[in-house]
Coordinates of all heavy atoms in Angstrom, one line a residue:
M1 N 130.6 166.9 267.7 CA 130.1 165.9 268.7 C 129.2 164.9 267.9 O 129.3 163.7 268.3 CB 129.4 166.6 269.7 CG 128.8 165.7 270.7 SD 129.3 166.3 272.4 CE 128.5 165.0 273.3
I2 N 128.5 165.3 267.0 CA 127.6 164.3 266.3 C 128.4 163.4 265.5 O 128.0 162.1 265.4 CB 126.6 165.1 265.4 CG1 125.5 164.1 265.0 CG2 127.2 165.7 264.2 CD1 124.4 163.8 266.0
Y3 N 129.6 163.7 265.0 CA 130.4 162.7 264.3 C 131.0 161.7 265.2 O 131.2 160.5 264.8 CB 131.6 163.5 263.6 CG 131.0 164.4 262.5 CD1 131.4 165.8 262.5 CD2 130.2 164.0 261.5 CE1 130.9 166.6 261.5 CE2 129.7 164.9 260.6 CZ 130.0 166.2 260.6 OH 129.6 167.1 259.6
V4 N 131.4 162.1 266.4 CA 131.9 161.2 267.4 C 130.8 160.2 267.8 O 131.0 159.0 267.9 CB 132.5 161.9 268.7 CG1 132.9 160.9 269.7 CG2 133.7 162.8 268.2
F5 N 129.6 160.7 268.0 CA 128.4 159.9 268.4 C 128.1 158.9 267.3 O 127.9 157.7 267.5 CB 127.3 160.7 268.7 CG 126.0 160.0 269.0 CD1 125.9 159.3 270.2 CD2 124.9 159.9 268.1 CE1 124.8 158.7 270.6 CE2 123.8 159.2 268.5 CZ 123.8 158.5 269.7
L6 N 128.0 159.4 266.0 CA 127.7 158.4 264.9 C 128.8 157.5 264.5 O 128.6 156.4 264.0 CB 127.3 159.3 263.7 CG 126.0 160.0 263.9 CD1 125.7 160.9 262.6 CD2 124.8 159.1 264.1
G7 N 130.1 157.8 264.9 CA 131.2 157.0 264.5 C 131.4 155.8 265.5 O 132.3 155.0 265.2
F8 N 130.6 155.8 266.6 CA 130.8 154.7 267.6 C 130.7 153.3 267.0 O 131.6 152.5 267.1 CB 129.9 154.9 268.7 CG 130.0 153.8 269.8 CD1 131.1 153.8 270.6 CD2 129.0 152.8 269.8 CE1 131.2 152.7 271.6 CE2 129.1 151.8 270.8 CZ 130.2 151.8 271.7
F9 N 129.5 153.0 266.4 CA 129.3 151.6 265.9 C 130.2 151.2 264.8 O 130.8 150.1 264.8 CB 127.8 151.4 265.6 CG 126.9 151.4 266.9 CD1 126.1 152.4 267.1 CD2 127.1 150.3 267.7 CE1 125.2 152.4 268.2 CE2 126.2 150.3 268.8 CZ 125.3 151.2 269.1
P10 N 130.4 152.1 263.8 CA 131.3 151.7 262.7 C 132.8 151.4 263.2 O 133.4 150.5 262.9 CB 131.3 152.7 261.7 CG 130.0 153.5 261.9 CD 129.8 153.3 263.4
F11 N 133.2 152.3 264.1 CA 134.6 152.1 264.6 C 134.7 150.8 265.4 O 135.7 150.1 265.3 CB 134.9 153.4 265.5 CG 136.3 153.2 266.1 CD1 137.5 153.5 265.3 CD2 136.5 152.9 267.4 CE1 138.7 153.3 265.8 CE2 137.8 152.7 268.0 CZ 138.9 153.0 267.2
V12 N 133.8 150.6 266.3 CA 133.8 149.4 267.2 C 133.7 148.1 266.3 O 134.4 147.2 266.6 CB 132.8 149.4 268.3 CG1 132.7 148.2 269.0 CG2 133.2 150.6 269.3
L13 N 132.8 148.2 265.3 CA 132.7 147.0 264.5 C 134.0 146.7 263.7 O 134.4 145.6 263.6 CB 131.5 147.1 263.5 CG 130.1 147.1 264.2 CD1 129.1 147.4 263.1 CD2 129.9 145.7 264.7
V14 N 134.6 147.8 263.1 CA 135.8 147.6 262.3 C 137.0 147.1 263.3 O 137.7 146.2 263.0 CB 136.2 148.8 261.6 CG1 137.6 148.8 260.9 CG2 135.2 149.1 260.4
A15 N 137.1 147.8 264.4 CA 138.2 147.5 265.3 C 137.9 146.0 265.9 O 138.9 145.3 266.1 CB 138.1 148.4 266.5
G16 N 136.7 145.7 266.1 CA 136.4 144.3 266.6 C 136.8 143.2 265.6 O 137.3 142.2 265.9
Y17 N 136.5 143.5 264.3 CA 136.8 142.6 263.2 C 138.4 142.5 263.2 O 138.8 141.3 263.1 CB 136.2 143.1 261.9 CG 136.6 142.2 260.8 CD1 136.0 140.9 260.6 CD2 137.6 142.6 259.9 CE1 136.4 140.1 259.6 CE2 138.0 141.8 258.8 CZ 137.4 140.5 258.7 OH 137.7 139.7 257.6
I18 N 139.1 143.6 263.2 CA 140.5 143.5 263.1 C 141.1 142.7 264.3 O 142.0 141.9 264.2 CB 141.1 144.9 263.0 CG1 140.7 145.4 261.6 CG2 142.6 144.9 263.2 CD1 141.0 146.9 261.4
I19 N 140.6 143.1 265.5 CA 141.1 142.4 266.8 C 140.8 140.9 266.7 O 141.7 140.1 267.1 CB 140.5 143.1 268.0 CG1 141.1 144.5 268.2 CG2 140.7 142.3 269.2 CD1 140.4 145.3 269.3
Q20 N 139.7 140.5 266.2 CA 139.4 139.1 266.2 C 140.3 138.3 265.2 O 140.3 137.1 265.3 CB 137.9 138.9 265.9 CG 137.0 139.1 267.0 CD 135.5 138.9 266.7 OE1 135.1 138.7 265.5 NE2 134.7 138.9 267.8
L21 N 140.9 139.0 264.2 CA 141.8 138.4 263.4 C 143.1 137.9 264.1 O 143.7 136.9 263.7 CB 142.2 139.3 262.2 CG 141.1 139.6 261.2 CD1 141.6 140.7 260.2 CD2 140.6 138.3 260.5
F22 N 143.4 138.7 265.1 CA 144.7 138.4 265.9 C 144.4 137.8 267.3 O 145.4 137.2 267.8 CB 145.5 139.7 266.0 CG 145.8 140.3 264.8 CD1 145.3 141.5 264.3 CD2 146.8 139.7 263.9 CE1 145.6 142.0 263.1 CE2 147.2 140.3 262.7 CZ 146.5 141.5 262.3
A23 N 143.2 137.8 267.7 CA 142.9 137.3 269.1 C 141.8 136.4 269.1 O 140.9 136.6 268.3 CB 142.7 138.4 270.1
A24 N 141.8 135.3 269.9 CA 140.7 134.3 269.9 C 139.6 134.7 270.8 O 138.5 134.1 270.8 CB 141.3 133.0 270.3
W25 N 139.8 135.7 271.7 CA 138.8 136.1 272.7 C 138.2 137.5 272.3 O 138.8 138.2 271.5 CB 139.4 136.1 274.0 CG 140.4 137.1 274.3 CD1 140.3 138.3 274.8 CD2 141.8 136.9 274.1 NE1 141.5 138.9 274.9 CE2 142.4 138.1 274.4 CE3 142.6 135.9 273.5 CZ2 143.8 138.3 274.3 CZ3 143.9 136.0 273.5 CH2 144.5 137.2 273.8
E26 N 137.1 137.9 272.9 CA 136.4 139.1 272.5 C 136.6 140.2 273.6 O 136.1 141.2 273.4 CB 134.9 138.8 272.4 CG 134.7 137.8 271.2 CD 133.3 137.3 271.2 OE1 132.5 137.6 272.1 OE2 132.9 136.6 270.3
T27 N 137.4 139.9 274.6 CA 137.6 141.0 275.6 C 138.3 142.3 275.0 O 137.8 143.3 275.4 CB 138.5 140.5 276.7 OG1 138.0 139.2 277.2 CG2 138.7 141.4 277.8
P28 N 139.2 142.3 274.1 CA 139.7 143.5 273.5 C 138.7 144.3 272.8 O 138.8 145.5 272.8 CB 140.8 143.0 272.5 CG 141.2 141.7 273.0 CD 140.0 141.1 273.6
V29 N 137.6 143.7 272.3 CA 136.6 144.5 271.6 C 135.8 145.4 272.7 O 135.5 146.5 272.5 CB 135.6 143.6 270.9 CG1 134.4 144.4 270.3 CG2 136.3 142.8 269.8
A30 N 135.6 144.8 273.9 CA 135.0 145.5 275.0 C 135.9 146.7 275.5 O 135.4 147.8 275.8 CB 134.7 144.6 276.2
Y31 N 137.2 146.5 275.5 CA 138.1 147.5 275.8 C 138.1 148.7 274.8 O 138.1 149.8 275.2 CB 139.5 147.0 275.9 CG 139.8 146.0 277.1 CD1 140.7 145.0 277.0 CD2 139.1 146.3 278.3 CE1 140.8 144.2 278.1 CE2 139.2 145.4 279.4 CZ 140.2 144.4 279.2 OH 140.4 143.5 280.3
V32 N 138.0 148.3 273.6 CA 137.8 149.4 272.5 C 136.6 150.1 272.6 O 136.6 151.3 272.5 CB 137.9 148.7 271.1 CG1 137.6 149.7 270.0 CG2 139.3 148.2 270.8
A33 N 135.5 149.4 272.9 CA 134.2 150.1 273.1 C 134.3 151.1 274.3 O 133.7 152.2 274.3 CB 133.0 149.1 273.3
I34 N 134.8 150.6 275.4 CA 135.0 151.4 276.6 C 135.9 152.6 276.3 O 135.5 153.8 276.8 CB 135.5 150.6 277.8 CG1 134.4 149.6 278.2 CG2 135.9 151.4 278.9 CD1 134.9 148.5 279.2
A35 N 137.0 152.4 275.6 CA 137.9 153.5 275.3 C 137.1 154.6 274.5 O 137.3 155.8 274.6 CB 139.1 153.0 274.6
Y36 N 136.4 154.1 273.5 CA 135.6 155.1 272.6 C 134.5 155.8 273.4 O 134.3 157.0 273.2 CB 135.0 154.3 271.5 CG 134.7 155.3 270.3 CD1 135.5 155.5 269.3 CD2 133.4 155.8 270.2 CE1 135.3 156.4 268.3 CE2 133.1 156.6 269.2 CZ 134.0 156.9 268.2 OH 133.7 157.8 267.2
G37 N 133.9 155.1 274.4 CA 132.9 155.7 275.3 C 133.6 156.8 276.1 O 133.1 157.8 276.3
A38 N 134.8 156.5 276.6 CA 135.6 157.5 277.4 C 135.9 158.7 276.5 O 135.8 159.9 277.0 CB 136.8 156.9 277.9
L39 N 136.2 158.5 275.2 CA 136.5 159.6 274.3 C 135.2 160.4 274.1 O 135.3 161.7 274.1 CB 137.0 159.0 272.9 CG 137.0 160.1 271.8 CD1 138.3 160.9 272.0 CD2 137.1 159.4 270.5
F40 N 134.1 159.7 274.0 CA 132.9 160.5 273.8 C 132.5 161.4 275.1 O 132.2 162.5 275.0 CB 131.7 159.5 273.6 CG 130.4 160.2 273.3 CD1 130.1 160.9 272.1 CD2 129.4 160.1 274.3 CE1 129.0 161.5 271.9 CE2 128.2 160.7 274.0 CZ 127.9 161.5 272.8
V41 N 132.7 160.8 276.3 CA 132.5 161.6 277.6 C 133.5 162.7 277.6 O 133.1 163.8 278.0 CB 132.6 160.6 278.7 CG1 132.7 161.3 280.0 CG2 131.5 159.7 278.8
A42 N 134.8 162.5 277.3 CA 135.8 163.5 277.4 C 135.5 164.6 276.5 O 135.6 165.9 276.8 CB 137.2 163.0 277.1
Y43 N 135.1 164.3 275.2 CA 134.7 165.3 274.2 C 133.5 166.1 274.7 O 133.4 167.3 274.5 CB 134.6 164.7 272.8 CG 134.4 165.8 271.8 CD1 135.4 166.5 271.4 CD2 133.1 165.9 271.2 CE1 135.3 167.4 270.4 CE2 133.0 166.9 270.2 CZ 134.1 167.7 269.8 OH 133.9 168.6 268.8
G44 N 132.5 165.4 275.2 CA 131.3 166.1 275.7 C 131.6 167.0 276.9 O 131.1 168.1 276.9
L45 N 132.5 166.6 277.8 CA 132.9 167.5 278.8 C 133.7 168.7 278.3 O 133.4 169.9 278.9 CB 133.7 166.8 279.9 CG 133.0 165.8 280.8 CD1 133.8 165.0 281.6 CD2 131.9 166.5 281.6
R46 N 134.5 168.5 277.4 CA 135.2 169.6 276.8 C 134.3 170.6 276.1 O 134.4 171.9 276.3 CB 136.3 169.1 275.8 CG 137.1 170.2 275.1 CD 137.9 169.7 274.0 NE 138.5 170.7 273.2 CZ 137.9 171.4 272.2 NH1 136.7 171.0 271.9 NH2 138.5 172.3 271.6
L47 N 133.3 170.1 275.4 CA 132.3 170.9 274.8 C 131.5 171.6 275.8 O 131.1 172.8 275.6 CB 131.5 170.0 273.9 CG 130.5 170.8 272.9 CD1 131.2 171.5 271.9 CD2 129.6 169.7 272.2
T48 N 131.1 171.0 276.9 CA 130.3 171.6 277.9 C 131.0 172.8 278.5 O 130.3 173.8 278.8 CB 129.9 170.6 279.0 OG1 129.1 169.5 278.2 CG2 129.0 171.1 280.0
F49 N 132.2 172.6 278.8 CA 132.9 173.7 279.6 C 133.8 174.7 278.7 O 134.7 175.3 279.2 CB 133.8 173.0 280.6 CG 133.0 172.3 281.6 CD1 133.0 171.0 281.8 CD2 132.2 173.0 282.6 CE1 132.2 170.3 282.7 CE2 131.4 172.4 283.5 CZ 131.5 171.0 283.6
T50 N 133.4 174.8 277.4 CA 134.0 175.8 276.5 C 133.5 177.2 276.9 O 132.3 177.4 277.0 CB 133.7 175.5 275.1 OG1 134.2 174.2 274.8 CG2 134.3 176.5 274.1
E51 N 134.5 178.1 277.1 CA 134.1 179.5 277.5 C 134.0 180.3 276.3 O 134.8 180.3 275.3 CB 135.2 179.9 278.4 CG 134.9 181.4 278.9 CD 136.0 181.8 279.9 OE1 136.2 181.2 280.9 OE2 136.7 182.8 279.6
C52 N 132.9 181.2 276.3 CA 132.8 182.1 275.2 C 133.7 183.3 275.4 O 134.0 183.8 276.4 CB 131.3 182.7 275.3 SG 131.0 184.0 274.1
P53 N 134.4 183.7 274.2 CA 135.4 184.8 274.3 C 134.8 186.1 274.6 O 135.5 187.0 275.1 CB 136.1 184.7 273.0 CG 135.2 184.0 272.1 CD 134.4 183.1 272.9
R54 N 133.5 186.3 274.3 CA 132.9 187.6 274.4 C 132.4 187.8 275.8 O 132.8 188.8 276.5 CB 131.8 187.8 273.4 CG 131.1 189.2 273.6 CD 129.8 189.3 272.8 NE 130.1 189.3 271.4 CZ 129.1 189.3 270.5 NH1 127.8 189.1 270.9 NH2 129.4 189.2 269.2
C55 N 131.5 186.9 276.3 CA 130.9 187.1 277.6 C 131.5 186.3 278.7 O 131.1 186.5 279.8 CB 129.4 186.7 277.5 SG 129.0 185.0 277.2
H56 N 132.4 185.4 278.4 CA 133.1 184.6 279.3 C 132.1 183.6 280.1 O 132.5 183.1 281.2 CB 133.9 185.4 280.4 CG 135.0 186.2 279.7 ND1 136.1 185.6 279.1 CD2 135.0 187.5 279.5 CE1 136.8 186.6 278.6 NE2 136.2 187.8 278.8
G57 N 131.0 183.4 279.6 CA 130.1 182.4 280.1 C 130.3 181.0 279.4 O 131.1 180.9 278.4
L58 N 129.7 180.0 279.8 CA 129.8 178.8 279.1 C 129.1 178.8 277.7 O 127.9 179.1 277.7 CB 129.3 177.6 279.9 CG 130.0 177.4 281.3 CD1 129.4 176.3 282.0 CD2 131.5 177.0 281.0
Y59 N 129.8 178.4 276.7 CA 129.2 178.6 275.3 C 128.0 177.8 275.1 O 127.1 178.3 274.4 CB 130.4 178.2 274.4 CG 130.1 178.8 272.9 CD1 130.5 180.0 272.6 CD2 129.6 178.0 272.0 CE1 130.3 180.5 271.3 CE2 129.3 178.5 270.8 CZ 129.7 179.8 270.4 OH 129.5 180.2 269.1
H60 N 128.0 176.6 275.5 CA 126.9 175.7 275.2 C 126.0 175.5 276.4 O 125.2 174.5 276.5 CB 127.4 174.3 274.7 CG 128.2 174.4 273.4 ND1 127.6 174.4 272.2 CD2 129.5 174.4 273.3 CE1 128.5 174.5 271.3 NE2 129.7 174.5 271.9
W61 N 126.0 176.3 277.4 CA 125.2 176.1 278.6 C 124.7 177.4 279.1 O 125.4 178.4 279.2 CB 126.0 175.4 279.7 CG 125.3 175.1 280.8 CD1 125.2 175.9 282.0 CD2 124.6 173.9 281.1 NE1 124.4 175.2 282.9 CE2 124.1 174.0 282.4 CE3 124.4 172.7 280.4 CZ2 123.3 173.0 282.9 CZ3 123.6 171.8 280.9 CH2 123.1 171.9 282.2
H62 N 123.4 177.5 279.3 CA 122.8 178.7 279.9 C 122.1 178.2 281.1 O 122.8 177.9 282.1 CB 121.8 179.4 278.9 CG 121.3 180.7 279.4 ND1 122.1 181.8 279.8 CD2 120.1 181.2 279.7 CE1 121.4 182.8 280.2 NE2 120.2 182.4 280.1
W63 N 120.8 178.0 281.2 CA 120.2 177.2 282.2 C 119.7 175.9 281.7 O 119.1 175.1 282.3 CB 119.0 178.1 282.9 CG 118.0 178.5 281.9 CD1 118.0 179.6 281.2 CD2 116.8 177.9 281.6 NE1 116.8 179.7 280.5 CE2 116.0 178.6 280.7 CE3 116.1 176.6 282.0 CZ2 114.8 178.3 280.2 CZ3 114.9 176.3 281.5 CH2 114.3 177.1 280.6
W64 N 120.0 175.7 280.4 CA 119.9 174.4 279.7 C 121.1 174.2 278.9 O 121.9 175.1 278.7 CB 118.6 174.5 278.8 CG 118.7 175.3 277.6 CD1 119.1 174.9 276.4 CD2 118.5 176.7 277.4 NE1 119.2 175.9 275.5 CE2 118.8 177.1 276.2 CE3 118.0 177.7 278.3 CZ2 118.7 178.4 275.7 CZ3 118.0 178.9 277.9 CH2 118.2 179.3 276.6
S65 N 121.2 173.0 278.3 CA 122.4 172.6 277.5 C 122.0 172.3 276.1 O 120.9 171.6 275.9 CB 123.1 171.5 278.2 OG 124.2 171.1 277.3
N66 N 122.7 172.8 275.1 CA 122.5 172.5 273.8 C 123.8 172.2 273.1 O 124.5 173.2 272.6 CB 121.7 173.5 273.1 CG 121.4 173.2 271.7 OD1 121.7 172.1 271.2 ND2 120.6 174.1 271.0
P67 N 124.3 171.0 273.0 CA 125.7 170.8 272.4 C 125.7 171.0 270.9 O 126.8 171.1 270.4 CB 125.9 169.4 272.7 CG 124.7 168.7 273.0 CD 123.8 169.8 273.5
W68 N 124.6 171.1 270.3 CA 124.6 171.4 268.8 C 124.3 172.8 268.4 O 124.1 173.1 267.2 CB 123.5 170.4 268.1 CG 123.9 169.0 268.3 CD1 124.9 168.3 267.5 CD2 123.4 168.0 269.3 NE1 125.0 167.0 268.0 CE2 124.1 166.9 269.0 CE3 122.5 168.2 270.3 CZ2 123.9 165.7 269.8 CZ3 122.3 167.0 271.0 CH2 123.0 165.8 270.8
T69 N 124.3 173.7 269.3 CA 124.0 175.1 269.0 C 125.2 175.7 268.2 O 126.3 175.3 268.3 CB 123.8 175.9 270.3 OG1 123.4 177.2 269.9 CG2 125.1 176.0 271.1
R70 N 124.9 176.7 267.3 CA 125.9 177.3 266.5 C 126.2 178.8 267.0 O 126.8 179.5 266.3 CB 125.5 177.3 265.1 CG 125.5 175.9 264.5 CD 125.3 175.9 263.0 NE 125.1 174.6 262.5 CZ 126.1 173.9 262.1 NH1 127.4 174.4 262.1 NH2 126.0 172.7 261.6
K71 N 125.6 179.1 268.2 CA 125.9 180.4 268.8 C 125.9 180.3 270.3 O 125.4 179.3 270.8 CB 124.8 181.4 268.3 CG 123.4 181.0 268.8 CD 122.4 182.0 268.4 CE 121.0 181.6 268.9 NZ 120.0 182.6 268.7
C72 N 126.5 181.2 270.9 CA 126.6 181.2 272.4 C 125.2 181.4 272.9 O 124.4 182.3 272.5 CB 127.5 182.4 272.9 SG 127.6 182.6 274.7
L73 N 124.9 180.6 273.9 CA 123.5 180.6 274.5 C 123.3 181.8 275.5 O 122.3 182.1 275.8 CB 123.2 179.3 275.2 CG 123.1 178.0 274.4 CD1 122.9 176.8 275.2 CD2 122.0 178.2 273.3
N74 N 124.4 182.4 275.8 CA 124.4 183.6 276.8 C 124.3 184.9 276.0 O 123.4 185.8 276.3 CB 125.6 183.6 277.7 CG 125.5 182.4 278.6 OD1 124.6 182.2 279.3 ND2 126.5 181.5 278.5
C75 N 125.2 185.1 275.0 CA 125.3 186.5 274.3 C 125.0 186.4 272.9 O 124.8 187.4 272.2 CB 126.7 187.1 274.6 SG 128.0 186.2 273.7
G76 N 124.9 185.1 272.3 CA 124.5 185.0 270.9 C 125.7 185.1 269.9 O 125.5 185.3 268.7
L77 N 127.0 185.1 270.4 CA 128.1 185.1 269.5 C 128.1 183.9 268.6 O 128.1 182.8 269.1 CB 129.4 185.2 270.3 CG 130.7 185.2 269.5 CD1 130.8 186.6 268.8 CD2 131.9 184.9 270.5
P78 N 128.2 184.1 267.2 CA 128.2 182.9 266.4 C 129.4 182.1 266.4 O 130.6 182.7 266.7 CB 128.0 183.5 265.0 CG 128.3 185.0 265.1 CD 128.2 185.3 266.6
L79 N 129.3 180.8 266.2 CA 130.5 179.9 266.3 C 131.4 180.2 265.2 O 132.6 180.3 265.4 CB 130.0 178.5 266.3 CG 131.0 177.4 266.4 CD1 131.7 177.5 267.8 CD2 130.4 176.0 266.3
K80 N 130.9 180.4 264.0 CA 131.8 180.7 262.8 C 131.3 182.0 262.2 O 130.1 182.3 262.1 CB 131.7 179.6 261.8 CG 132.2 178.3 262.2 CD 132.2 177.3 261.1 CE 132.8 176.0 261.6 NZ 132.9 175.0 260.6
V81 N 132.2 182.9 261.8 CA 132.0 184.2 261.3 C 132.2 184.1 259.8 O 133.3 183.6 259.4 CB 132.8 185.3 261.9 CG1 132.5 186.6 261.3 CG2 132.6 185.4 263.4
V82 N 131.2 184.5 259.0 CA 131.3 184.5 257.6 C 132.1 185.8 257.2 O 131.6 186.9 257.6 CB 129.9 184.4 256.9 CG1 130.1 184.4 255.4 CG2 129.3 183.1 257.3
S83 N 133.2 185.7 256.5 CA 133.9 186.9 256.1 C 133.6 187.2 254.6 O 133.2 186.3 253.9 CB 135.4 186.7 256.3 OG 135.9 185.7 255.4
D84 N 133.9 188.4 254.2 CA 133.7 188.8 252.8 C 134.9 188.5 251.9 O 134.9 188.8 250.7 CB 133.3 190.3 252.7 CG 134.4 191.2 253.2 OD1 135.4 190.7 253.7 OD2 134.1 192.4 253.2
G85 N 135.9 187.9 252.4 CA 137.1 187.4 251.6 C 138.2 188.4 251.7 O 139.2 188.3 251.0
N86 N 138.1 189.6 252.4 CA 139.1 190.5 252.5 C 140.1 190.2 253.6 O 139.8 189.9 254.7 CB 138.6 191.9 252.7 CG 137.9 192.4 251.4 OD1 138.3 191.9 250.3 ND2 136.9 193.2 251.6

């Protein structure tokens, strides 16, 4: 989620520059920014409503929300499991 958040300005600036090469008006740049904002909202909603496979609660939501957590806020199941290589 942090990558989508931090990628907003570089993506819109590059897309805006490319669009201005082919179009004389700036309306398409606003459409690109709105579309990227919709992507951010959709990704945030997907992240919010992810279900934990162990406890079947919401992974990033308990009575507060933390989209950057690396473990389930309900049961503590880690997001990634480190294996010993076997």
